[in-house]
Amino acid sequence: MNHYRFSANTGFLWKELLFIDRIRRAAACGFDAVEFHDEAQQADTLALSDVLTETGLRVLGLNVRMGETAGCAAIASRKKEALKDIDTAIETAQRIGAGSIHVLAGRTGDEGNRNSYLRALRHALNASDITILIEPICRAAMPDYFLHDIDQAAEILDEIDNPRLRILFDCYHIEAEHGAMMEQFHKHKSRIGHIQIASFPERAEPNQGSIDYGIALREFLAAGYGGYFGCEYNPKKAVEVGLSWRDHFQLS
């Protein structure tokens, strides 16, 4: 590998385009893979499979249905709905060859239930052989989300004790919630299944803000991370205008 492998997150990039066209644009812009929010469950599976074959892009993962509460796996009153959403995501992932599923806990407020979340995660693990991801989301972005703290996520992984349950490490969320993002990475690197990048504090293109990705990306690889870097950021202008940031982060 002579360059970093970047994945285009279609939930953030080219949102003005139809979902299928976002995938084509990702390929045209030289991305190595794509990752989805929950667009794939709403798309025509045949058309989606065709465009993936056409572009040759790998699907790293997708979210369960998000809805108004950003998932519902930790909401006890919505157990059946949460399991159905997981089953649908698994079916979609298997049809298109997605490598992972992000099971969102949900904006639970006072209804957050850890046992419900654990039950849903165990169901996801038992129902497929796909990697299951959980993501700590910072309070600044979503104050009523169930899972904020990466140590809390690590405790859940330790309790369930399945190597296919991993942490989705979003650099923006970790920096916002904890600070010292690289320290948190090194503390939890054995549990991390995927890394997403964006600037901090704006959550824009990664070549600005207080996180120096020129250093961080090399450090991730040196520490043994061998995956892709998911580009989940809010472009300041048209995506193509800002993509020159990738030129700053090439391996020699």
Side-chain angles (χ1 to χ4, degrees):
M1 183 178 69
N2 59 9
H3 71 288
Y4 297 113
R5 296 185 296 174
F6 294 117
S7 168
N9 188 293
T10 59
F12 272 64
L13 304 183
W14 302 290
K15 289 191 288 187
E16 73 279 6
L17 300 180
L18 295 174
F19 173 50
I20 294 294
D21 291 332
R22 296 177 210 171
I23 298 170
R24 289 195 176 97
R25 191 64 62 86
C29 289
F31 279 94
D32 302 293
V34 287
E35 56 194 63
F36 306 147
H37 278 185
D38 58 0
E39 307 98 328
Q41 292 94 308
Q42 305 160 40
D44 178 274
T45 304
L46 182 58
L48 177 54
S49 296
D50 285 347
V51 77
L52 291 171
T53 300
E54 169 194 326
T55 59
L57 288 177
R58 177 182 178 184
V59 181
L60 298 187
L62 54 89
N63 291 352
V64 299
R65 188 181 67 86
M66 298 165 70
E68 293 182 358
T69 56
C72 59
I75 303 176
S77 62
R78 297 172 65 182
K79 171 187 173 182
K80 291 183 179 179
E81 184 181 346
L83 298 186
K84 180 181 178 182
D85 290 342
I86 288 170
D87 290 342
T88 301
I90 288 172
E91 181 180 0
T92 303
Q94 290 172 335
R95 286 182 176 178
I96 63 175
S100 66
I101 293 170
H102 173 204
V103 177
L104 287 91
R107 304 178 73 153
T108 58
D110 295 332
E111 295 184 72
N113 187 289
R114 189 174 186 272
N115 289 335
S116 295
Y117 195 28
L118 294 175
R119 186 186 307 114
L121 294 172
R122 290 190 174 103
H123 174 83
L125 291 162
N126 292 334
S128 76
D129 58 0
I130 295 173
T131 296
I132 304 301
L133 300 174
I134 60 174
E135 178 185 19
I137 296 178
C138 68
R139 289 175 175 84
M142 205 174 290
D144 53 351
Y145 192 73
F146 179 75
L147 181 64
H148 295 297
D149 190 288
I150 194 169
D151 291 321
Q152 179 189 0
E155 289 172 3
I156 290 173
L157 263 64
D158 291 346
E159 180 167 345
I160 292 181
D161 192 24
N162 186 311
R164 287 190 292 110
L165 181 62
R166 313 283 287 171
I167 292 173
L168 197 171
F169 188 93
D170 184 306
C171 296
Y172 169 83
H173 286 303
I174 299 301
E175 182 67 25
E177 186 68 20
H178 299 282
M181 180 269 295
M182 290 307 302
E183 291 182 17
Q184 294 297 329
F185 166 77
H186 284 293
K187 179 179 178 181
H188 296 287
K189 63 184 178 182
S190 65
R191 300 180 175 96
I192 292 170
H194 184 48
I195 294 175
Q196 292 177 332
I197 60 175
S199 71
F200 182 83
E202 290 187 294
R203 204 177 190 183
E205 285 82 356
N207 63 330
Q208 49 197 286
S210 63
I211 299 174
D212 186 342
Y213 284 106
I215 295 174
L217 294 181
R218 288 182 179 275
E219 196 167 331
F220 288 141
L221 296 191
Y225 178 73
Y228 293 73
F229 296 102
C231 300
E232 191 180 69
Y233 62 84
N234 295 306
K236 284 192 169 182
K237 298 180 180 179
V239 175
E240 289 80 359
V241 173
L243 280 180
S244 60
W245 67 263
R246 292 181 304 185
D247 299 332
H248 297 279
F249 304 137
Q250 293 306 307
L251 288 167
S252 57

